[in-house]
Structure formats: structure tokens, C-alpha cells
Amino acid sequence: MSAYFIPIQTAFIAFILLGFVLVIPWLIYSYRKYGFLSLWASIVAYSFMYYMLSALFLVLLPLPESRNTCAYQSADTVYYSLIPFSFVTDTLKDGAIVLSNPATYMQIFKQSAFWQAAFNFLLLLPFGVYLRYFWQDKRYWKKAFGFGFALSLFYEITQVTGIYGIYNCPYRIFDVDDLMLNSTGALAGYWIGPIILALFPSKKTLLAKKAKIESSRLVPPLSQLLAVWVDYFLIQAVWLVTIGLFSSNDVMELVYTTVGFLVVYFVLPLLWGGQTVGTRLLRFRLAGPQGEVPSWKALLKRAFALYLPWGVSTFIGILSRVEIEMDSALYPIHVWMTVVLFACMAIMVAVLCLHVVLVLLKKGERTFYFDAAADIVPSKK
């Protein structure tokens, strides 16, 4: 069984890494599509990603220890099997199963050829279930079969080419039975999909909730936070690909990021009628109390309110890295100042976290401190 557990464990590790990288793009996509973060849609998307990784690794792993796989094979090795239903003859060939004697039928479960065929049938069965969830129509069964065949063909070509030339000889064969069983499994999954999906919220439920949210003027608080994060990520990304590649000077980064906050959170919404890069991606804008475009004073207040926690924490970090000799008269002052500053930062972080939780619980009926301080209301209209 380790032949199956190792690929699944490897897929889990890859899934954690890939899921962490894709969490922000997924949140943006989810909000743009549904207008809210759907837990069920997230479960479907992430489970589909994990399933596809697991299926791929089950097909490819374990990898050979050397790229020179030809050295471990004889010159007359055949890398393909084009005879259909070979798994049937392989299952029956040792004579343990006699078709005329039903008492021997249980021996089929002791045949490795049977379990190999069953594995290939089950490999793409979940793929068919996922396709049924995405398409929601039984009329597309031919398309599901075609997609299952195409995915299986991709696996078989990947194997027979030695992962497209990484290995100089294939380490697994191209088997027409695998194509048939994989494709049939995907089709079976598509047909039984409604039975499984009946246990979970339907796609129609998500679309109905989307229509309800779209009719509301309120912007979900998590969407607001995500927009702020996207804008901050833009500032940091620009720093990293410009000066950050060549310098690690804390003071220079402080000045650069300060300018970035001013540009992204003040200048851009001033020019774009209350929108930043993040709010554009999440499809809402910043508005005044009456729905008007915010004044420059309001936008400046909001930018400063957003900058303040970052600026304070960065300034404290710079001070904490200042080194003073222990025999210096300033050393005790430096120690006490550092302790006090870190205590202040801990209190600030705790207050901000509590504030975020309270706003999230209000589900958009209460604004974040940076919008409240500037008398700005996030609006979809």
C-alpha cells in the first residue's frame, strides 16, 4: 500500500504549498464571481486541486533513482500494450478462477491484475463527479467521457515519454486498458455525481445567494480587507522588484513604502473616483456618506489610518535592531524603551485583531477603523 500512500502524501505537501500561493488569487476570483467568500465553493476548488495532484502523483510516482532508466531495462523491452481487455486475461490466466465454478469467483480479489484494473477505473471516477458539479447537466456525458479520455491520454503519454524526456527510457508502459478504464471511470463518476452531490449545497444555491448579495449595497468586510491587502502587496512587490533587489536598508524601505502608501491609498483613489487597485479587483469603490466621491481630505485620512499601524511597527522594528554597548549609559534606557515599545505594539495588534473580528461578525454593517476615521463607506454602487 505504500505505493499509494507515498504519492498521496507527496500530493498533500505540494497541495499545502500551492494552496498557500493561490489563496489570495482564489479569494479575489471567488469575490468577483459570487460577491462573497463561499466556504463550499472553496472546499470544492481546493479538494479538486488536491485530487488532481494526487491522481498525477499516483500515475508518476515513485520516480526512478536515475535518469538513465535504459540501463535497468533489456534492449527488447516493450513500452506499450495495445491489446484491449488484457486485464481480463491476466486476471484469469493462473487458473484460480474457473468461470464454470462460481465458488472460485472470490479468488478474483486475490489477483493483482484485478486490483490494478479497479484502481485505474477508480482513478478518474472523482474527476467525473467534479465535472458533473461544474456542468450541472446530464446531457454533457459525452463531453465528460472525452475529457476523461484526454486526461488519461495525457497520463499515458507522460509515462511513455519518460516524463517528456526527463528519463531516457519510459519507466511505465502505455496501456490501452488504462485508457479504457480511466475514461469509463470518469463517465461513471459523471452519472453517479447527482447522488453524491445531493449531500452538499448545489451550485444554484450559490448563485441565488450571489443575486441576493448583489442587490445589497453592503460590501462584505472580508472583501474590504482583501482589497487593502492587495494594495499593500502591490506596494511590497514594487519595492522587491526595484530597490529591494539591491538594498536591504531599513530606512530606505521605510521611506519607499511611505511613498507607496501615499500613492496607492491616496493618489490612485483620488484619480480613479474612489477606487484603488484592490477595490477595482473586488468590484467596489470608496464613497462619501451620501454616495459621492470622497474628498481629498477624507482619502488622506484613510491613507494615514492605514499607514499608522505599519509605520509604528516598522519604526519599532528599526529601533529594536539598534545595537548599544552594555557598558554605555544609554543601554538601560534602550532596554526599557524597547520593552515599552514592544508592549505598545502587542496592545496595538491585539486591539486591531479584536476590531477586525467585531467588524467581520457585523457582516458589513460596521466599517473598519480606517474608513470610519475618514467618514468613508465602501459601496458597490
Side-chain angles (χ1 to χ4, degrees), residues 4 87 111-121 175 178 181:
Y4 299 107
F87 70 92
Q111 307 298 316
S112 60
F114 167 79
W115 287 111
Q116 182 67 27
F119 162 76
N120 280 300
F121 177 81
D175 195 337
D178 292 352
L181 290 166

Side-chain angles (χ1 to χ4, degrees), residues 36 363 381:
F36 66 100
K363 298 182 179 180
K381 301 177 181 179

Side-chain angles (χ1 to χ4, degrees), residues 56-67:
L56 179 63
F57 288 162
L58 282 167
V59 170
L60 298 182
L61 299 182
L63 297 174
E65 295 180 358
S66 170
R67 292 182 61 188

Side-chain angles (χ1 to χ4, degrees), residues 79-92:
Y79 300 114
Y80 52 86
S81 174
L82 303 180
I83 302 175
F85 302 105
S86 295
F87 70 92
V88 177
T89 56
D90 290 341
T91 303
L92 301 176

Side-chain angles (χ1 to χ4, degrees), residues 13-93:
I13 296 172
F15 165 74
I16 294 297
L17 297 174
L18 188 60
F20 179 77
V21 172
L22 295 179
V23 63
I24 297 302
W26 164 252
L27 288 175
I28 294 173
Y29 169 80
S30 182
Y31 273 110
R32 287 180 64 88
K33 184 173 183 179
Y34 299 112
F36 66 100
L37 177 60
S38 167
L39 179 60
W40 170 238
S42 300
I43 291 173
V44 170
Y46 273 81
S47 63
F48 180 67
M49 180 173 65
Y50 177 61
Y51 160 70
M52 293 298 287
L53 286 172
S54 297
L56 179 63
F57 288 162
L58 282 167
V59 170
L60 298 182
L61 299 182
L63 297 174
E65 295 180 358
S66 170
R67 292 182 61 188
N68 185 21
T69 50
C70 294
Y72 304 101
Q73 304 168 8
S74 60
D76 59 347
T77 299
V78 177
Y79 300 114
Y80 52 86
S81 174
L82 303 180
I83 302 175
F85 302 105
S86 295
F87 70 92
V88 177
T89 56
D90 290 341
T91 303
L92 301 176
K93 69 180 179 181

Side-chain angles (χ1 to χ4, degrees), residues 334-348:
H334 174 69
V335 171
W336 281 107
M337 183 178 294
T338 302
V339 172
V340 170
L341 290 175
F342 270 104
C344 291
M345 187 170 70
I347 294 172
M348 180 184 70

Side-chain angles (χ1 to χ4, degrees), residues 92 97-102 104-105:
L92 301 176
I97 302 171
V98 180
L99 296 179
S100 59
N101 184 6
T104 64
Y105 288 178

